[in-house]
């Protein structure tokens, strides 16, 4: 584990990722929080999983999916949690041990900070920055979900694909996205053959350059 993720260095690390929070609160988060390493492919959250902690992503990439409710083997990609973001659902379960309605899968090795749920409401009256942080986090996640809904409801698949790639570019802060055609197809709930065909058209239009295991966005 890198030095900045040790307990003594944790408040400085949290200040980097969550600069809007008060220094005293950052110290407290470091004191009560648990540092956990996550590995690619590991499930972070499962449907039916009981939330016991607030989840803060310090490093890595976690994709959040909504699974089929009728027993079908299908899932729908909603958004990603990357460095400096928080699982909004884990912030809303402080009154009782709520069960998750989504699945979170680790796409890239990283580090998360787990903070016991009872601190969520405990900090609200004491730290003004915490109340603003919670509201802003919930608002941002709702906006992301609405964006995704708009794409599904009102856009063609080629437009959804371009939106998906640009969101990945933003979340990962890179123009080169290491991802397979099958993974994109799974996230967009379609077939690999359809995605490969659409990516080829995007490449012909000069929007992307495809490599063996990655896609580079050129615009």
């Amino acid at each position: 584990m890198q030095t900045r993720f040790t307990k003594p260095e944790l408040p400085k690390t949290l200040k980097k990722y969550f600069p809007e929070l008060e220094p005293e609160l950052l110290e407290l988060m470091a004191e009560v929080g648990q540092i956990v390493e996550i590995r690619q492919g590991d499930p972070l959250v499962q449907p039916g999983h009981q939330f016991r902690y607030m989840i803060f992503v310090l490093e890595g990439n976690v994709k959040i999916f909504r699974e089929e409710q009728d027993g079908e083997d299908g899932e729908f990609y909603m958004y990603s949690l990357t460095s400096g973001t928080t699982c909004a659902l884990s912030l809303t379960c402080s009154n009782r041990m709520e069960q998750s309605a989504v699945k979170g899968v680790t796409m890239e090795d990283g580090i998360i900070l787990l903070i016991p749920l009872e601190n969520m409401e405990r900090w609200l009256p004491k730290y003004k920055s915490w109340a603003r942080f919670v509201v802003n986090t919930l608002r941002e996640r709702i906006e992301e979900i609405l964006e995704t809904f708009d794409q599904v409801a009102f856009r063609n698949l080629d437009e959804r694909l371009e939106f998906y790639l640009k969101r990945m570019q933003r979340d990962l802060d890179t123009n080169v996205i290491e991802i397979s055609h099958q993974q994109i197809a799974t996230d967009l709930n379609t077939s690999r053959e359809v995605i490969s065909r659409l990516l080829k058209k995007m490449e012909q239009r000069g929007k992307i350059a495809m490599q063996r295991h990655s896609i580079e966005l050129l615009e």
Side-chain angles (χ1 to χ4, degrees), residues 32-34 49-56 87 89-91 93 97 113-119:
V32 302
Q34 175 186 355
H49 168 85
Q50 199 171 61
F51 280 107
R52 298 180 182 276
Y53 301 92
M54 295 179 283
I55 303 171
F56 295 80
C87 177
L89 289 175
S90 71
L91 296 178
C93 301
M97 295 301 183
L113 182 69
L114 301 179
I115 295 179
L117 269 179
E118 58 265 23
N119 292 288

Side-chain angles (χ1 to χ4, degrees), residues 105-144:
V105 179
T106 304
M107 307 305 295
E108 177 185 315
D109 292 354
I111 304 289
I112 61 173
L113 182 69
L114 301 179
I115 295 179
L117 269 179
E118 58 265 23
N119 292 288
M120 211 297 273
E121 290 191 353
R122 184 180 299 164
W123 293 344
L124 284 175
K126 189 172 182 180
Y127 302 103
K128 291 183 178 179
S129 65
W130 177 247
R132 290 194 297 268
F133 173 80
V134 171
V135 170
N136 289 339
T137 298
L138 295 175
R139 187 194 72 245
E140 290 169 3
R141 291 292 168 247
I142 290 172
E143 289 174 351
E144 282 193 298

